[in-house]
Amino acid sequence: MRLDSLSSVQFKEVMAKKPVVLLPIGATEAHGGHLPLCTDSVQPEYVADAVAKLIGGIVAPPIRYAHHSSTKNMPGTLSISFLTTMHLTIDVLNSLIDNGADKIVIISGHAGSSHINALRQGCAEVAEKRAVKIMLLSDYDLVDEFPIDQTGDGHGGMVETSRVMHICPDLARKAPCRGDYVDCGYLIVSDPERCMPMGYVGNAQDATSELGKEINEFVVNRLVEEIKKSFGGLYE
C-alpha cells in the first residue's frame, strides 16, 4: 500500500493501526549504457512494495535523489549534498513520526558509503530524540548474502543488471561486455569516474531476468525476517 495513494481520512485510519512504514530511498545515477538512471530507485521501491504486502505495512513516497561520489561527473547523475541528504532524512522521518509512525524501515538502493553515512547520521539524530524504532539498510546488504559468486561484480554489474531486468524488463538490457574497475589506490582524484571507464563493473553481459527474480525474492524474504527480528514478535 502506497501512503500517497490514500486520502487523508484513509491515511489516519491506517496509521492508527501502527503499521511498519517503509521508506525507499533511491537515486538518479548513471549505470552505463545498458541500465536506466532510475536503477537505484526501482530496486528498493520494488522491495518495499513486496515487503509491505507481506507484513501489512505501508510505503512512504520514495526519494529519488542521493549523494554521489564515484559517479558524480557521469551524464545523468543528479546529486545532492551530504548535509542535504542528512537533513532530508531527518525532516521526512520527523514528519512520518508526527503522523503516527513508530516503526520505520529505510531501504536505500544507492549503497555509496558517503550516502549511507548521511542517512545513518540523520536516522541517529531522530532516534535519539523521538519515540521510534528505525531500521536502515541498503538492499545490497542483503544481496551480498545471496548464494552466488559475486567476486568482481559491482555497480551496474551482473547482479544489479539481473535485478533490474526482472523489475523493469522494458528499461534494462545486457551490457555488451564486461566492465572493469580501475583501482586508484589511496589517491584522492577529482575525476573518480576514471575508476569505471565503462560506467559499470562486472560481467553485466551475463545478466538474466531469471537470476534477478531469484535475487529479488531472496532480498524481500530476508528483509521480512529482519523486520520481524528488529521489531520483535509483531507478526507471530
Side-chain angles (χ1 to χ4, degrees):
M1 181 188 302
R2 287 285 181 116
L3 183 159
D4 55 0
S5 69
L6 304 175
S7 71
S8 178
V9 172
Q10 291 171 323
F11 173 72
K12 183 177 179 180
E13 293 173 350
V14 169
M15 293 307 294
K17 300 175 183 178
K18 298 297 181 181
V20 172
V21 178
L22 297 111
L23 172 59
I25 297 182
T28 303
E29 182 186 31
H31 284 76
H34 61 294
L35 290 177
L37 298 173
C38 63
T39 286
D40 283 358
S41 297
V42 297
Q43 293 173 91
E45 290 170 23
Y46 173 91
V47 172
D49 286 333
V51 169
K53 289 180 181 178
L54 292 173
I55 67 172
I58 187 169
V59 180
I63 296 171
R64 287 192 167 196
Y65 292 92
H67 179 58
H68 298 282
S69 53
S70 59
T71 63
K72 65 181 180 180
N73 296 324
M74 293 183 181
T77 296
L78 305 181
S79 188
I80 56 178
S81 72
F82 183 96
L83 288 177
T84 297
T85 304
M86 182 182 72
H87 290 146
L88 179 59
T89 303
I90 292 170
D91 288 348
V92 172
L93 286 174
N94 277 326
S95 189
L96 288 171
I97 296 166
D98 290 342
N99 276 278
D102 64 353
K103 298 176 291 293
I104 302 173
V105 180
I106 293 181
I107 313 166
S108 177
H110 179 53
S113 57
S114 296
H115 173 74
I116 294 296
N117 285 337
L119 298 181
R120 191 174 304 281
Q121 289 193 33
C123 289
E125 180 166 325
V126 173
E128 289 173 2
K129 300 176 180 178
R130 306 295 299 268
V132 63
K133 291 183 177 180
I134 303 172
M135 286 177 59
L136 167 65
L137 73 160
S138 166
D139 49 351
Y140 276 87
D141 292 324
L142 304 178
V143 169
D144 287 345
E145 300 177 13
F146 186 77
I148 188 176
D149 184 7
Q150 300 184 44
T151 304
D153 198 62
H155 180 84
M158 179 182 69
V159 168
E160 188 160 35
T161 301
S162 295
R163 293 187 68 197
V164 181
M165 288 174 70
H166 170 239
I167 297 168
C168 301
D170 56 328
L171 297 180
R173 60 184 183 275
K174 294 182 180 183
C177 60
R178 175 182 174 81
D180 292 320
Y181 181 77
V182 178
D183 190 354
C184 293
Y186 297 105
L187 185 65
I188 303 298
V189 296
S190 60
D191 55 341
E193 66 276 8
R194 74 164 73 173
C195 297
M196 287 189 286
M198 296 290 292
Y200 61 94
V201 178
N203 292 318
Q205 76 278 9
D206 295 333
T208 67
S209 177
E210 292 74 20
L211 174 60
K213 183 175 185 292
E214 290 183 30
I215 297 173
N216 289 329
E217 290 177 349
F218 176 86
V219 171
V220 167
N221 291 328
R222 279 290 294 115
L223 183 52
V224 169
E225 291 176 2
E226 290 300 322
I227 288 173
K228 291 179 178 180
K229 184 192 305 182
S230 295
F231 296 149
L234 291 172
Y235 309 100
E236 296 178 358

